[in-house]
Amino acid sequence: MRGRRGLMRGHQLEKGAHGRQLAKVVHGRRLAKVVRGLAWVVVPLELVLVVCLLTGAPLPTNVLIGVEAFAVAVLVVEGVGLAVLYRRGGRAAVREVVPGPVRGILGHELRVFGSLGLWVARRRHGVREGDLAFGHARDQAAMLYGLVFVCVVETIGMALLLRSWPAVHAVMLVVDVYTVVLMLGVHAASVTRPHVLSADALRVRHGAHRDLRIPLERIASVSGERRFTHEAADGVLNIPVAAQTSLTLELTEPVTAVGFLGGRQPVTTVRLHSDDPAKLRAALDQALELTRARTAPPPPRGRPA
């Protein structure tokens, strides 16, 4: 009798736990729908507001403040909702709400602004003790600094031209300052995220938007090949810097390259650029020799006499 009661009680507890889990799933889905719905509301509203400001349409101050306050409140609610979803379901739950391209763009922006802090602190990302780092930012530095200078001049010019329209001037000032900081962040990402050669892999990077880990045992050959034109081809990944690549890696097995917006591509040929391609090639050849010697099968034993 006691055994039967224990089984019934265990069944009831299991049923209750299953019900609570089901309730959490349902609640999570409802929360995801709410977050997604708020995004569909606030984004068009902000776009309409920006268009009105850029076209010079008169907007009462109360309306402008109300719309911006509503947008900020919605963003706060979305942030809290995403935090709750992440706590309950991890990254998988957040992926259901935030599309892949949006996650890619936001991740890129966070890496860019984080690189500014590393640049100021004179630190590098992903370079451990014993690793060899090879920069790839030198040949594009002049171009990026030139673009930053042009953006600064454009910011000053727009500020003078739009001084009679305070609302439009404020919007354009934010956009221009953000552009200047973003351009500096792109260069900072290239400086602080070099190619990294470790004992077992080569990490090929291009600023904050390309990061590819290639195991050394999959590299068949390395050749010095300077290219200024790169045609798209299946299985080929071109990572040019200042429109050029200086090294070509041929792989024995494909590796998966993840694009800026999350797209995946298996590649067997990787073309990259380095500030000192000869030095990177020499270090890579030496690392490949050590890897092949370490992974080579032992010689067959002779038959005993």
Side-chain angles (χ1 to χ4, degrees):
M1 189 70 179
R2 291 182 179 178
R4 183 177 298 178
R5 289 179 180 177
L7 290 176
M8 293 178 62
R9 183 174 180 81
H11 179 69
Q12 290 176 355
L13 291 175
E14 183 179 356
K15 185 176 180 181
H18 179 71
R20 288 192 297 270
Q21 185 67 25
L22 183 60
K24 288 183 179 180
V25 172
V26 173
H27 183 69
R29 290 178 178 175
R30 291 177 179 174
L31 183 60
K33 290 181 179 180
V34 171
V35 173
R36 193 181 296 114
L38 289 175
W40 282 108
V41 172
V42 72
V43 172
L45 187 62
E46 284 290 318
L47 290 177
V48 171
L49 180 62
V50 170
V51 170
C52 291
L53 292 175
L54 292 179
T55 55
L59 287 177
T61 305
N62 294 335
V63 173
L64 183 62
I65 295 176
V67 171
E68 289 301 321
F70 175 74
V72 171
V74 169
L75 291 176
V76 171
V77 172
E78 286 189 336
V80 173
L82 290 175
V84 172
L85 287 174
Y86 180 80
R87 184 177 179 181
R88 293 181 176 178
R91 295 182 178 181
V94 177
R95 289 193 186 101
E96 293 183 2
V97 180
V98 184
V102 176
R103 295 197 307 270
I105 294 173
L106 292 178
H108 177 266
E109 300 293 297
L110 292 176
R111 291 190 295 271
V112 165
F113 290 116
S115 298
L116 284 171
L118 294 175
W119 193 29
V120 172
R122 296 183 177 275
R123 297 175 58 187
R124 293 178 298 184
H125 176 272
V127 182
R128 302 170 299 182
E129 185 177 357
D131 294 344
L132 299 177
F134 300 90
H136 59 272
R138 183 181 61 195
D139 292 334
Q140 70 177 12
M143 178 187 66
L144 286 177
Y145 283 135
L147 290 175
V148 169
F149 176 76
V150 171
C151 290
V152 171
V153 173
E154 189 264 347
T155 300
I156 298 173
M158 293 300 293
L160 295 175
L161 291 174
L162 299 176
R163 61 182 182 272
S164 300
W165 296 278
V168 180
H169 171 264
V171 173
M172 291 305 301
L173 182 61
V174 172
V175 172
D176 289 337
V177 172
Y178 179 82
T179 302
V180 172
V181 175
L182 185 63
M183 295 302 298
L184 289 174
V186 168
H187 179 62
S190 298
V191 173
T192 60
R193 297 171 180 268
H195 305 309
V196 179
L197 178 60
S198 61
D200 59 348
L202 173 66
R203 192 173 180 181
V204 179
R205 301 196 281 189
H206 185 198
H209 54 275
R210 178 68 71 178
D211 194 336
L212 175 65
R213 185 182 183 275
I214 306 176
L216 294 181
E217 61 266 17
R218 295 193 185 186
I219 300 179
S221 63
V222 184
S223 59
E225 183 184 20
R226 192 171 294 274
R227 284 173 169 257
F228 292 92
T229 58
H230 305 87
E231 297 181 358
D234 292 337
V236 178
L237 176 64
N238 298 306
I239 312 177
V241 176
Q244 63 175 319
T245 56
S246 52
L247 288 175
T248 300
L249 309 180
E250 297 293 342
L251 310 182
T252 58
E253 298 179 27
V255 295
T256 302
V258 181
F260 177 70
L261 297 179
R264 294 178 175 271
Q265 173 192 7
V267 297
T268 54
T269 300
V270 179
R271 298 191 180 103
L272 63 137
H273 181 67
S274 173
D275 294 340
D276 193 344
K279 186 177 180 180
L280 174 54
R281 182 182 178 185
L284 193 52
D285 286 337
Q286 184 178 4
L288 290 176
E289 290 181 4
L290 294 175
T291 301
R292 289 163 185 162
R294 185 175 65 250
T295 57
R301 296 181 180 180
R303 294 183 179 180

